[in-house]
Amino acid sequence: MPDTLQYLADTPVLVCAPDGAPLRDEYGATDLIGEGYGLGAAWVAIPESRLADDFFRLRTRVAGDIVQKFANYRLGLAVVGDITRHTDVSPALQDFVRESNRGTQLWFLPDLDALRTRLG
């Protein structure tokens, strides 16, 4: 199943397939950003299963590097899926998720319906 452009609440979103290549670093982020721009996306929705575990370990700075790359290109990033296995063991990640969800650049959401609602 390929990544596809979908309109969620009239917003063009590149919805990444669950079985695609893992997003491990800012170079992978650049590839997704390019794909999103090529399709006219305003947001990229990536399943949490496609993010390397280092993304959820804040001390690695992987999340920061990836999110900064998306911010530089003014493209929103939504991590979609259940991340409780990561947040349950990391109060710092819990704080990061809470703060991110208050902003307009990075959201952690349970599913695409929640993203649709948030964009609406």
Side-chain angles (χ1 to χ4, degrees), residues 69-109:
K69 189 65 72 171
F70 275 86
N72 289 347
Y73 287 93
R74 294 187 176 101
L75 194 61
L77 177 62
V79 175
V80 179
D82 182 4
I83 62 167
T84 55
R85 72 182 176 100
H86 300 289
T87 56
D88 283 351
V89 297
S90 175
L93 181 60
Q94 291 172 18
D95 293 341
F96 179 70
V97 168
R98 187 172 30 260
E99 289 300 316
S100 296
N101 283 344
R102 289 181 183 157
T104 59
Q105 179 61 48
L106 170 66
W107 297 334
F108 293 86
L109 301 164

Side-chain angles (χ1 to χ4, degrees), residues 5-88:
L5 184 71
Q6 296 181 26
Y7 285 82
L8 305 177
D10 295 326
T11 301
V13 178
L14 175 63
V15 177
C16 298
D19 58 352
L23 179 55
R24 300 182 189 281
D25 54 31
E26 64 185 294
Y27 302 107
T30 302
D31 291 342
L32 273 179
I33 290 165
E35 184 180 356
Y37 262 114
L39 295 171
W43 279 81
V44 172
I46 187 162
E48 61 81 25
S49 61
R50 282 193 48 188
L51 293 167
D53 282 345
D54 279 350
F55 181 91
F56 299 101
R57 292 185 197 109
L58 298 181
R59 70 181 176 276
T60 66
R61 298 184 181 186
V62 170
D65 291 344
I66 289 172
V67 172
Q68 185 61 52
K69 189 65 72 171
F70 275 86
N72 289 347
Y73 287 93
R74 294 187 176 101
L75 194 61
L77 177 62
V79 175
V80 179
D82 182 4
I83 62 167
T84 55
R85 72 182 176 100
H86 300 289
T87 56
D88 283 351

